[in-house]
Amino acid sequence: MTLIADMSEPERQSWATLIADICVFSIFIKSMTSGRLPRNFRVESGSASELIGVYVWVIVVTIIIHAVIASIFALRGKAEGFERDERDVEIERKGARNGFWVVTIVINIIIFQLLVENSLSSDYQALIAVASPSNMFFALMGTMFLGDIVYRATMVWAYRGPSG
């Protein structure tokens, strides 16, 4: 196990952002769902104003947390004279690429699911239906969080790996 003191600044920042994203995502899931997987898990129906409230809360909190983390590491980097190198840039690109692919694949699954739900009879029961506004909101916001978590987790993994 590597000590925090032995990590580079970009690796520390990746960890901090990953942990923050997972925390906000966990709160988002808890606020939008009830029950447990797989039997009685369900997305709670909410009015449009409730969904807007959750949306604004999630976006504002995420922006604030990311800004605080970036500011802290920018100030630390200036104080210590740290500059990102080619390895850091390549690791960030790899994370962004993996996050992009996850979002792209899941969005296409959501589109397919929506089309299936609207083309089959009304008694079709999907594991997670996306036709209702609450379910669609949950699916899309969850996808965006998943993409960002994959992005940060890829970076953390790459810093841990022998080849970076």
Side-chain angles (χ1 to χ4, degrees), residues 28 50-60 137 141:
F28 168 73
E50 290 171 335
L51 295 176
I52 289 171
V54 172
Y55 178 74
V56 169
W57 178 86
V58 166
I59 297 298
V60 168
F137 171 70
M141 282 302 290

Side-chain angles (χ1 to χ4, degrees), residues 25-126:
F25 186 47
S26 298
I27 294 167
F28 168 73
I29 288 174
K30 187 153 179 63
S31 71
M32 290 289 301
T33 63
S34 64
R36 292 183 180 249
L37 282 173
R39 289 169 103 186
N40 52 357
F41 175 82
R42 69 184 186 93
V43 176
E44 292 291 329
S45 286
S47 68
S49 62
E50 290 171 335
L51 295 176
I52 289 171
V54 172
Y55 178 74
V56 169
W57 178 86
V58 166
I59 297 298
V60 168
V61 167
T62 303
I63 288 171
I64 290 170
I65 291 173
H66 280 233
V68 167
I69 291 170
S71 298
I72 289 169
F73 281 94
L75 291 173
R76 286 174 49 117
K78 283 185 180 179
E80 296 175 11
F82 172 78
E83 289 188 33
R84 291 171 18 130
D85 61 12
E86 291 143 19
R87 179 176 180 251
D88 297 322
V89 172
E90 185 56 37
I91 286 173
E92 189 163 357
R93 271 194 205 126
K94 184 177 184 179
R97 182 184 65 236
N98 289 351
F100 168 80
W101 280 110
V102 166
V103 169
T104 300
I105 290 167
V106 176
I107 291 290
N108 278 286
I109 291 169
I110 292 169
I111 291 168
F112 180 76
Q113 177 66 28
L114 183 63
L115 295 172
V116 167
E117 284 180 43
N118 286 300
S119 65
L120 296 178
S121 67
S122 61
D123 52 322
Y124 168 72
Q125 293 294 322

